[in-house]
Amino acid sequence: PTLKVDRGANVTVPFQNNLSEETNIHWHGLLVPSTMDGHPKDIVQSGSSFNFNFTIDQRAGTYWYHPHPHGKTARQVVMGLAGFFIVNDDEEKALNFPSGDQELVLVIQDKKIENGQLTYSPLMNEIMTGYTGEYVLVNGIYAPFHNVATRYYRLRILNGSTARVYNIALSDNQPFHVIGADGGLLAQPVTVNTLLLGPGERADILVSFKNYMVGKEIYLTSKTFNGGTQGQQEFRLMKFVINLQADETFTVPSQLSVVQPMSPASSSRTRVMKIKGMMNGMSGNMGGSMGSGVHTINDKVYDIDRIDETVKAGATEIWEFDNSDGDEIHPMHIHGVQFQVIERTGGRGSLIASEQGWKDTVLVMPNEKVKVIMVFPQEKGVFVFHCHNLEHEDNGMMLNYEII
Ligand code: C2O
Ligand code: CU
Ligand code: CU
Protein backbone atom coordinates (compact mmCIF):
# COMPACT_ATOMS: atom_id res chain seq x y z
CA PRO A 1 0.00 0.00 0.00
CA THR A 2 0.89 3.65 -0.51
CA LEU A 3 0.58 5.52 2.78
CA LYS A 4 -0.31 9.22 2.64
CA VAL A 5 -0.19 11.41 5.71
CA ASP A 6 -0.12 15.09 6.56
CA ARG A 7 2.77 16.67 8.37
CA GLY A 8 2.12 16.59 12.11
CA ALA A 9 0.17 13.34 12.00
CA ASN A 10 0.71 10.65 14.55
CA VAL A 11 1.05 7.40 12.63
CA THR A 12 0.40 3.92 13.97
CA VAL A 13 1.20 0.90 11.86
CA PRO A 14 0.35 -2.44 13.48
CA PHE A 15 2.73 -4.86 11.82
CA GLN A 16 2.09 -8.60 11.79
CA ASN A 17 4.74 -10.88 10.31
CA ASN A 18 2.95 -13.70 8.55
CA LEU A 19 6.02 -14.71 6.55
CA SER A 20 7.94 -17.85 7.41
CA GLU A 21 11.06 -15.74 7.96
CA GLU A 22 12.10 -12.68 9.96
CA THR A 23 11.47 -9.18 8.66
CA ASN A 24 10.72 -5.63 9.82
CA ILE A 25 10.02 -2.20 8.32
CA HIS A 26 12.38 0.70 7.82
CA TRP A 27 10.80 4.08 6.97
CA HIS A 28 13.28 5.34 4.41
CA GLY A 29 13.72 9.10 4.71
CA LEU A 30 11.42 9.56 7.69
CA LEU A 31 12.91 11.12 10.80
CA VAL A 32 11.71 8.69 13.44
CA PRO A 33 13.25 7.51 16.74
CA SER A 34 15.80 4.72 16.37
CA THR A 35 13.44 2.27 18.08
CA MET A 36 10.92 2.83 15.26
CA ASP A 37 13.44 2.94 12.41
CA GLY A 38 13.58 -0.76 11.63
CA HIS A 39 17.20 -1.24 12.64
CA PRO A 40 18.40 -4.72 11.61
CA LYS A 41 18.58 -5.74 15.30
CA ASP A 42 14.90 -4.82 15.75
CA ILE A 43 13.64 -7.79 13.87
CA VAL A 44 10.08 -9.11 13.92
CA GLN A 45 10.21 -12.90 14.02
CA SER A 46 7.93 -15.06 11.95
CA GLY A 47 4.50 -15.08 13.59
CA SER A 48 5.29 -12.04 15.76
CA SER A 49 4.03 -8.49 15.61
CA PHE A 50 5.23 -4.98 16.36
CA ASN A 51 3.41 -1.69 16.69
CA PHE A 52 5.15 1.10 14.81
CA ASN A 53 4.19 4.51 16.15
CA PHE A 54 5.73 7.89 15.35
CA THR A 55 4.86 11.50 14.64
CA ILE A 56 5.62 13.06 11.27
CA ASP A 57 7.60 16.22 11.86
CA GLN A 58 9.35 16.95 8.58
CA ARG A 59 8.83 18.40 5.12
CA ALA A 60 6.36 17.06 2.61
CA GLY A 61 8.06 14.54 0.39
CA THR A 62 8.15 11.19 -1.33
CA TYR A 63 9.42 8.75 1.26
CA TRP A 64 9.14 4.97 1.23
CA TYR A 65 9.32 1.87 3.37
CA HIS A 66 10.88 -1.55 3.04
CA PRO A 67 12.25 -4.34 5.27
CA HIS A 68 15.74 -4.27 6.78
CA PRO A 69 16.65 -7.74 8.14
CA HIS A 70 20.39 -8.03 7.66
CA GLY A 71 21.30 -10.27 4.75
CA LYS A 72 17.70 -10.61 3.61
CA THR A 73 16.76 -7.06 2.61
CA ALA A 74 17.38 -7.35 -1.12
CA ARG A 75 15.38 -10.52 -1.60
CA GLN A 76 12.42 -9.27 0.42
CA VAL A 77 12.34 -5.98 -1.48
CA VAL A 78 12.58 -7.75 -4.85
CA MET A 79 9.74 -10.07 -3.84
CA GLY A 80 7.53 -7.05 -3.25
CA LEU A 81 7.92 -5.70 0.28
CA ALA A 82 8.26 -2.00 -0.50
CA GLY A 83 5.81 0.88 -0.70
CA PHE A 84 5.50 4.65 -0.79
CA PHE A 85 5.06 6.88 2.24
CA ILE A 86 3.90 10.28 1.01
CA VAL A 87 3.95 13.26 3.37
CA ASN A 88 1.93 16.36 2.44
CA ASP A 89 2.02 19.78 4.03
CA ASP A 90 0.39 23.19 3.59
CA GLU A 91 3.34 24.73 1.81
CA GLU A 92 3.18 22.12 -0.90
CA LYS A 93 -0.62 22.15 -1.15
CA ALA A 94 -0.53 25.91 -1.78
CA LEU A 95 1.49 25.31 -4.95
CA ASN A 96 -1.45 23.47 -6.55
CA PHE A 97 0.62 20.93 -8.39
CA PRO A 98 -1.13 18.58 -10.80
CA SER A 99 -3.03 16.08 -8.66
CA GLY A 100 -5.59 13.31 -8.92
CA ASP A 101 -5.15 11.50 -12.22
CA GLN A 102 -2.31 13.93 -13.03
CA GLU A 103 -0.15 12.83 -10.10
CA LEU A 104 1.52 9.47 -10.60
CA VAL A 105 3.51 7.63 -7.97
CA LEU A 106 5.89 5.32 -9.82
CA VAL A 107 8.28 2.73 -8.44
CA ILE A 108 10.78 1.30 -10.88
CA GLN A 109 12.09 -2.17 -10.09
CA ASP A 110 13.89 -4.64 -12.28
CA LYS A 111 13.15 -8.32 -11.81
CA LYS A 112 14.29 -11.70 -12.96
CA ILE A 113 11.45 -14.00 -13.84
CA GLU A 114 11.80 -17.73 -14.44
CA ASN A 115 8.89 -20.01 -15.29
CA GLY A 116 6.48 -17.24 -14.42
CA GLN A 117 7.97 -16.78 -10.95
CA LEU A 118 10.09 -14.00 -9.52
CA THR A 119 13.51 -15.32 -8.68
CA TYR A 120 16.31 -13.85 -6.65
CA SER A 121 19.68 -15.56 -6.45
CA PRO A 122 22.59 -13.27 -7.31
CA LEU A 123 25.96 -14.75 -8.19
CA MET A 124 29.14 -13.24 -6.80
CA ASN A 125 29.97 -11.36 -10.01
CA GLU A 126 26.44 -9.95 -10.10
CA ILE A 127 26.80 -8.74 -6.53
CA MET A 128 29.88 -6.89 -7.71
CA THR A 129 28.65 -5.29 -10.90
CA GLY A 130 25.03 -5.00 -9.87
CA TYR A 131 22.32 -7.63 -10.01
CA THR A 132 20.10 -6.57 -12.88
CA GLY A 133 16.82 -8.15 -13.95
CA GLU A 134 15.79 -8.28 -17.60
CA TYR A 135 12.29 -7.06 -16.77
CA VAL A 136 12.07 -3.47 -15.66
CA LEU A 137 8.65 -3.02 -14.06
CA VAL A 138 6.82 0.14 -13.08
CA ASN A 139 4.44 -0.39 -10.16
CA GLY A 140 4.82 -4.11 -10.72
CA ILE A 141 3.74 -3.95 -14.36
CA TYR A 142 5.89 -4.71 -17.37
CA ALA A 143 5.65 -2.10 -20.18
CA PRO A 144 2.71 -0.20 -18.67
CA PHE A 145 0.95 2.76 -20.26
CA HIS A 146 -1.07 5.68 -18.97
CA ASN A 147 -3.52 7.81 -20.93
CA VAL A 148 -2.80 11.50 -20.52
CA ALA A 149 -4.41 14.80 -21.50
CA THR A 150 -2.50 17.73 -23.01
CA ARG A 151 -1.65 18.98 -19.53
CA TYR A 152 1.06 18.88 -16.88
CA TYR A 153 1.67 15.69 -14.92
CA ARG A 154 3.51 15.25 -11.68
CA LEU A 155 5.58 12.07 -11.51
CA ARG A 156 6.98 10.99 -8.17
CA ILE A 157 9.56 8.40 -9.10
CA LEU A 158 11.27 5.97 -6.76
CA ASN A 159 14.13 3.80 -7.86
CA GLY A 160 13.20 0.73 -5.82
CA SER A 161 15.68 -1.51 -7.62
CA THR A 162 18.46 -3.26 -5.80
CA ALA A 163 21.28 -2.18 -8.10
CA ARG A 164 20.09 -0.61 -11.32
CA VAL A 165 20.59 3.10 -11.87
CA TYR A 166 18.16 4.82 -14.25
CA ASN A 167 18.92 7.88 -16.33
CA ILE A 168 15.38 9.22 -16.42
CA ALA A 169 14.36 10.96 -19.66
CA LEU A 170 11.52 11.28 -22.14
CA SER A 171 11.89 9.39 -25.40
CA ASP A 172 11.87 12.60 -27.48
CA ASN A 173 14.36 14.29 -25.11
CA GLN A 174 11.78 16.88 -24.12
CA PRO A 175 12.96 18.77 -21.03
CA PHE A 176 11.15 18.26 -17.73
CA HIS A 177 11.19 20.09 -14.40
CA VAL A 178 12.73 18.61 -11.27
CA ILE A 179 10.73 20.00 -8.34
CA GLY A 180 11.74 17.69 -5.53
CA ALA A 181 14.19 15.08 -4.32
CA ASP A 182 14.39 12.59 -1.44
CA GLY A 183 13.56 15.11 1.28
CA GLY A 184 10.90 17.20 -0.45
CA LEU A 185 10.74 20.28 -2.63
CA LEU A 186 13.73 22.07 -4.09
CA ALA A 187 13.89 25.84 -3.65
CA GLN A 188 13.38 26.38 -7.38
CA PRO A 189 12.50 23.97 -10.19
CA VAL A 190 15.42 22.83 -12.32
CA THR A 191 14.82 22.04 -15.98
CA VAL A 192 16.76 19.06 -17.34
CA ASN A 193 16.66 16.50 -20.16
CA THR A 194 17.96 13.60 -18.07
CA LEU A 195 18.19 12.81 -14.38
CA LEU A 196 20.26 10.03 -12.89
CA LEU A 197 18.38 8.14 -10.16
CA GLY A 198 20.20 5.57 -8.05
CA PRO A 199 18.66 2.81 -5.92
CA GLY A 200 16.74 4.33 -3.00
CA GLU A 201 16.59 7.83 -4.50
CA ARG A 202 13.37 9.66 -5.38
CA ALA A 203 12.67 12.35 -7.95
CA ASP A 204 9.60 14.56 -8.07
CA ILE A 205 9.21 15.90 -11.62
CA LEU A 206 6.71 17.84 -13.71
CA VAL A 207 6.23 16.75 -17.31
CA SER A 208 4.20 18.75 -19.82
CA PHE A 209 2.22 16.99 -22.54
CA LYS A 210 0.72 20.35 -23.58
CA ASN A 211 2.36 20.57 -26.96
CA TYR A 212 1.50 17.12 -28.23
CA MET A 213 -1.28 16.10 -30.58
CA VAL A 214 -3.87 13.58 -29.48
CA GLY A 215 -2.71 10.16 -30.61
CA LYS A 216 0.97 10.79 -29.86
CA GLU A 217 2.88 8.31 -27.72
CA ILE A 218 5.80 9.32 -25.50
CA TYR A 219 7.92 7.00 -23.38
CA LEU A 220 9.51 7.50 -20.04
CA THR A 221 12.91 5.97 -20.72
CA SER A 222 16.25 5.28 -19.15
CA LYS A 223 19.03 6.67 -21.34
CA THR A 224 22.63 5.51 -21.43
CA PHE A 225 25.12 7.02 -18.98
CA ASN A 226 28.77 6.73 -18.02
CA GLY A 227 29.21 4.16 -15.29
CA GLY A 228 30.01 0.58 -16.00
CA THR A 229 28.15 -1.96 -18.05
CA GLN A 230 24.66 -1.13 -16.88
CA GLY A 231 24.99 2.42 -18.20
CA GLN A 232 25.33 1.10 -21.74
CA GLN A 233 21.70 0.07 -22.01
CA GLU A 234 18.86 2.34 -23.04
CA PHE A 235 15.32 1.10 -22.48
CA ARG A 236 11.71 2.12 -22.10
CA LEU A 237 10.09 2.26 -18.68
CA MET A 238 6.49 3.19 -19.50
CA LYS A 239 4.33 4.73 -22.21
CA PHE A 240 2.17 7.83 -22.11
CA VAL A 241 -0.62 7.94 -24.69
CA ILE A 242 -1.96 11.44 -25.34
CA ASN A 243 -5.68 10.78 -25.71
CA LEU A 244 -7.42 13.98 -24.68
CA GLN A 245 -7.15 17.61 -25.75
CA ALA A 246 -7.54 19.80 -22.66
CA ASP A 247 -6.81 23.35 -21.61
CA GLU A 248 -4.01 23.81 -19.16
CA THR A 249 -3.85 26.77 -16.83
CA PHE A 250 -1.08 25.44 -14.58
CA THR A 251 2.33 27.04 -14.92
CA VAL A 252 5.46 25.86 -13.14
CA PRO A 253 6.07 28.17 -10.18
CA SER A 254 9.45 29.87 -10.18
CA GLN A 255 9.79 29.52 -6.41
CA LEU A 256 8.84 26.28 -4.66
CA SER A 257 10.18 26.38 -1.15
CA VAL A 258 13.03 27.59 0.98
CA VAL A 259 16.10 25.38 1.22
CA GLN A 260 18.61 27.19 3.40
CA PRO A 261 22.07 26.02 2.27
CA MET A 262 24.05 24.69 5.24
CA SER A 263 27.45 26.26 5.65
CA PRO A 264 30.41 23.84 5.78
CA ALA A 265 31.77 26.12 8.50
CA SER A 266 28.92 25.05 10.79
CA SER A 267 30.27 21.49 10.86
CA SER A 268 32.07 20.36 14.01
CA ARG A 269 33.70 17.38 12.36
CA THR A 270 34.39 15.70 9.02
CA ARG A 271 34.33 11.92 8.82
CA VAL A 272 35.73 10.06 5.83
CA MET A 273 33.95 6.87 4.81
CA LYS A 274 36.17 4.89 2.49
CA ILE A 275 33.92 2.69 0.43
CA LYS A 276 35.37 -0.38 -1.21
CA GLY A 277 33.93 -2.79 -3.67
CA MET A 278 35.22 -6.14 -4.73
CA MET A 279 37.70 -5.00 -7.34
CA ASN A 280 39.54 -2.67 -5.01
CA GLY A 281 38.89 -4.71 -1.92
CA MET A 282 41.75 -7.19 -2.32
CA SER A 283 43.56 -5.75 0.67
CA GLY A 284 40.36 -5.70 2.66
CA ASN A 285 38.56 -8.59 4.22
CA MET A 286 38.06 -10.99 1.34
CA GLY A 287 37.15 -13.78 3.71
CA GLY A 288 37.56 -17.33 2.58
CA SER A 289 34.24 -18.01 1.00
CA MET A 290 31.96 -16.44 -1.49
CA GLY A 291 29.56 -14.51 0.60
CA SER A 292 29.95 -11.58 2.87
CA GLY A 293 32.87 -9.32 3.27
CA VAL A 294 33.89 -8.06 -0.11
CA HIS A 295 32.05 -4.75 0.13
CA THR A 296 33.25 -2.61 3.01
CA ILE A 297 33.09 0.83 4.57
CA ASN A 298 36.37 1.88 6.21
CA ASP A 299 37.51 -1.73 5.69
CA LYS A 300 34.73 -3.03 7.89
CA VAL A 301 31.95 -5.49 7.19
CA TYR A 302 28.66 -4.96 9.02
CA ASP A 303 28.50 -6.23 12.58
CA ILE A 304 25.08 -5.79 14.09
CA ASP A 305 26.46 -5.36 17.63
CA ARG A 306 29.42 -3.09 16.90
CA ILE A 307 29.10 0.70 17.08
CA ASP A 308 31.27 2.12 14.31
CA GLU A 309 30.71 5.84 14.67
CA THR A 310 29.58 7.86 17.69
CA VAL A 311 27.89 11.17 17.05
CA LYS A 312 26.83 13.84 19.56
CA ALA A 313 23.12 14.58 19.68
CA GLY A 314 22.33 17.63 17.59
CA ALA A 315 25.83 17.79 16.07
CA THR A 316 26.42 19.19 12.60
CA GLU A 317 28.89 17.07 10.64
CA ILE A 318 30.28 16.56 7.16
CA TRP A 319 30.62 12.98 5.92
CA GLU A 320 32.67 12.23 2.86
CA PHE A 321 31.98 9.06 0.88
CA ASP A 322 35.22 8.21 -0.86
CA ASN A 323 34.95 5.93 -3.89
CA SER A 324 37.97 7.52 -5.56
CA ASP A 325 39.67 4.25 -6.41
CA GLY A 326 36.50 2.27 -6.92
CA ASP A 327 34.91 1.13 -10.13
CA GLU A 328 31.52 0.18 -8.75
CA ILE A 329 28.44 2.34 -8.23
CA HIS A 330 27.45 2.98 -4.59
CA PRO A 331 24.26 4.85 -3.64
CA MET A 332 25.07 5.80 -0.04
CA HIS A 333 22.22 6.21 2.44
CA ILE A 334 22.16 7.47 6.03
CA HIS A 335 19.26 6.68 8.37
CA GLY A 336 17.90 9.20 10.87
CA VAL A 337 18.75 12.36 8.92
CA GLN A 338 18.19 14.37 5.77
CA PHE A 339 21.42 15.89 4.42
CA GLN A 340 22.61 18.38 1.82
CA VAL A 341 25.16 17.38 -0.78
CA ILE A 342 27.90 19.98 -0.74
CA GLU A 343 30.58 18.69 -3.08
CA ARG A 344 31.42 16.03 -5.62
CA THR A 345 34.98 15.66 -6.83
CA GLY A 346 36.27 13.15 -9.38
CA GLY A 347 33.89 11.32 -11.70
CA ARG A 348 31.05 13.64 -12.70
CA GLY A 349 32.70 16.43 -10.72
CA SER A 350 29.54 18.37 -9.95
CA LEU A 351 26.11 18.14 -8.35
CA ILE A 352 22.98 17.26 -10.31
CA ALA A 353 19.54 18.93 -10.17
CA SER A 354 18.06 16.67 -7.49
CA GLU A 355 21.10 17.28 -5.27
CA GLN A 356 20.11 20.89 -4.76
CA GLY A 357 17.51 19.78 -2.21
CA TRP A 358 17.40 17.64 0.92
CA LYS A 359 18.59 14.09 0.41
CA ASP A 360 18.96 10.84 2.33
CA THR A 361 20.67 8.82 -0.41
CA VAL A 362 23.42 10.03 -2.73
CA LEU A 363 24.86 8.35 -5.76
CA VAL A 364 28.62 7.88 -5.59
CA MET A 365 29.79 6.80 -9.01
CA PRO A 366 33.20 5.23 -9.77
CA ASN A 367 36.12 7.53 -8.91
CA GLU A 368 33.93 10.01 -7.03
CA LYS A 369 34.19 11.56 -3.60
CA VAL A 370 30.98 13.09 -2.32
CA LYS A 371 30.58 15.27 0.76
CA VAL A 372 27.29 15.69 2.59
CA ILE A 373 26.41 17.88 5.57
CA MET A 374 23.71 17.24 8.15
CA VAL A 375 22.42 17.96 11.63
CA PHE A 376 21.93 14.79 13.65
CA PRO A 377 18.79 14.31 15.77
CA GLN A 378 18.58 15.32 19.42
CA GLU A 379 17.20 11.94 20.40
CA LYS A 380 19.76 9.27 21.27
CA GLY A 381 19.86 5.91 19.58
CA VAL A 382 21.53 3.60 17.09
CA PHE A 383 21.03 3.93 13.34
CA VAL A 384 22.68 2.39 10.29
CA PHE A 385 24.17 3.90 7.17
CA HIS A 386 24.94 1.79 4.15
CA CYS A 387 25.16 1.36 0.44
CA HIS A 388 21.64 1.14 -1.01
CA ASN A 389 22.78 -1.26 -3.67
CA LEU A 390 20.92 -3.92 -1.72
CA GLU A 391 23.27 -6.70 -2.78
CA HIS A 392 26.15 -4.66 -1.40
CA GLU A 393 24.19 -3.89 1.77
CA ASP A 394 23.37 -7.56 2.38
CA ASN A 395 27.01 -8.32 1.64
CA GLY A 396 27.97 -6.17 4.64
CA MET A 397 28.45 -2.68 3.21
CA MET A 398 26.76 -1.12 6.23
CA LEU A 399 27.85 0.32 9.59
CA ASN A 400 26.14 1.40 12.82
CA TYR A 401 26.33 4.88 14.24
CA GLU A 402 25.15 5.87 17.68
CA ILE A 403 23.81 9.24 18.73
CA ILE A 404 24.90 9.92 22.31
CU1 C2O B 1 16.12 2.30 2.21
CU2 C2O B 1 18.58 1.36 5.24
O1 C2O B 1 17.38 1.84 3.72
CU1 CU C 1 16.66 4.45 5.12
CU1 CU D 1 27.65 -0.34 -3.00
Side-chain angles (χ1 to χ4, degrees):
T2 291
L3 307 181
K4 290 187 186 172
V5 303
D6 283 331
R7 181 171 189 164
N10 186 271
V11 177
T12 301
V13 181
F15 179 68
Q16 167 69 40
N17 181 5
N18 288 338
L19 298 179
S20 54
E21 61 189 68
E22 62 181 29
T23 188
N24 67 359
I25 309 181
H26 165 58
W27 311 94
H28 183 131
L30 294 185
L31 308 177
V32 301
S34 68
T35 51
M36 292 293 150
D37 192 57
H39 187 279
K41 72 178 164 15
D42 296 325
I43 221 67
V44 182
Q45 296 298 340
S46 171
S48 299
S49 59
F50 184 81
N51 216 31
F52 288 97
N53 176 254
F54 43 83
T55 298
I56 303 297
D57 180 21
Q58 65 188 94
R59 307 174 81 225
T62 309
Y63 306 101
W64 64 301
Y65 62 90
H66 61 79
H68 227 293
H70 186 49
K72 302 191 176 84
T73 296
R75 192 176 152 274
Q76 293 190 357
V77 169
V78 167
M79 292 298 162
L81 294 181
F84 282 98
F85 194 108
I86 308 280
V87 176
N88 294 112
D89 67 12
D90 293 339
E91 177 191 44
E92 186 207 19
K93 282 178 193 154
L95 291 164
N96 285 311
F97 288 132
S99 60
D101 175 58
Q102 289 166 259
E103 179 184 4
L104 305 180
V105 177
L106 306 171
V107 53
I108 309 171
Q109 292 184 301
D110 58 325
K111 313 269 186 179
K112 288 197 197 241
I113 299 171
E114 276 166 30
N115 304 321
Q117 298 289 315
L118 289 180
T119 62
Y120 184 77
S121 49
L123 303 170
M124 203 59 218
N125 70 312
E126 293 175 311
I127 291 177
M128 185 179 81
T129 57
Y131 183 73
T132 53
E134 301 82 0
Y135 294 94
V136 181
L137 312 186
V138 176
N139 294 353
I141 304 169
Y142 181 62
F145 74 96
H146 191 69
N147 290 326
V148 296
T150 53
R151 304 190 68 182
Y152 273 98
Y153 281 73
R154 178 183 190 180
L155 312 183
R156 296 174 182 260
I157 306 174
L158 159 65
N159 181 349
S161 307
T162 64
R164 262 195 204 272
V165 173
Y166 303 100
N167 194 18
I168 301 294
L170 293 157
S171 46
D172 62 353
N173 287 313
Q174 183 206 166
F176 55 91
H177 310 278
V178 183
I179 57 168
D182 304 345
L185 295 176
L186 307 184
Q188 288 99 22
V190 183
T191 305
V192 298
N193 299 91
T194 58
L195 186 70
L196 216 53
L197 195 66
E201 290 187 299
R202 287 85 71 207
D204 198 346
I205 67 173
L206 292 174
V207 176
S208 169
F209 298 106
K210 269 192 326 188
N211 298 325
Y212 294 115
M213 304 291 283
V214 168
K216 176 90 180 156
E217 296 181 345
I218 298 288
Y219 291 88
L220 186 69
T221 61
S222 179
K223 301 269 181 185
T224 57
F225 58 89
N226 286 329
T229 46
Q230 57 159 302
Q232 293 163 14
Q233 288 172 282
E234 170 169 341
F235 46 88
R236 291 168 168 175
L237 299 167
M238 73 176 285
K239 181 163 81 172
F240 294 100
V241 182
I242 292 91
N243 79 333
L244 183 70
Q245 180 69 41
D247 291 333
E248 180 59 292
T249 52
F250 176 80
T251 54
V252 179
S254 55
Q255 190 69 29
L256 303 171
S257 183
V258 177
V259 176
Q260 199 60 56
M262 289 181 66
S263 157
S266 65
S267 163
S268 58
R269 174 160 183 188
T270 297
R271 297 179 200 244
V272 176
M273 305 297 168
K274 182 82 191 156
I275 50 186
K276 277 192 191 166
M278 195 178 193
M279 298 306 275
N280 60 356
M282 302 306 281
S283 61
N285 180 4
M286 281 294 284
S289 58
M290 312 274 280
S292 76
V294 294
H295 291 88
T296 57
I297 301 175
N298 288 343
D299 290 322
K300 291 188 281 189
V301 173
Y302 188 59
D303 177 339
I304 204 162
D305 296 315
R306 184 189 63 218
I307 300 298
D308 300 289
E309 303 290 336
T310 304
V311 174
K312 288 208 183 70
T316 301
E317 296 196 358
I318 292 171
W319 286 18
E320 177 183 83
F321 295 109
D322 182 355
N323 191 27
S324 49
D325 7 273
D327 56 6
E328 296 178 23
I329 299 171
H330 303 288
M332 301 305 296
H333 170 51
I334 311 176
H335 287 214
V337 292
Q338 288 285 331
F339 53 72
Q340 289 181 0
V341 185
I342 51 176
E343 185 183 89
R344 171 178 285 112
T345 50
R348 291 170 290 162
S350 60
L351 306 189
I352 66 169
S354 52
E355 292 168 345
Q356 293 166 30
W358 290 97
K359 298 277 295 164
D360 52 53
T361 307
V362 66
L363 200 50
V364 186
M365 296 294 274
N367 307 119
E368 292 183 355
K369 275 191 204 179
V370 177
K371 279 186 191 165
V372 303
I373 187 167
M374 66 221 130
V375 180
F376 286 91
Q378 290 294 346
E379 208 172 315
K380 299 182 167 69
V382 178
F383 292 94
V384 291
F385 63 100
H386 58 87
C387 180
H388 219 289
N389 172 313
L390 298 182
E391 284 80 37
H392 294 178
E393 175 188 337
D394 281 345
N395 194 243
M397 197 168 203
M398 174 157 71
L399 299 181
N400 285 316
Y401 78 90
E402 181 169 14
I403 297 177
I404 55 162

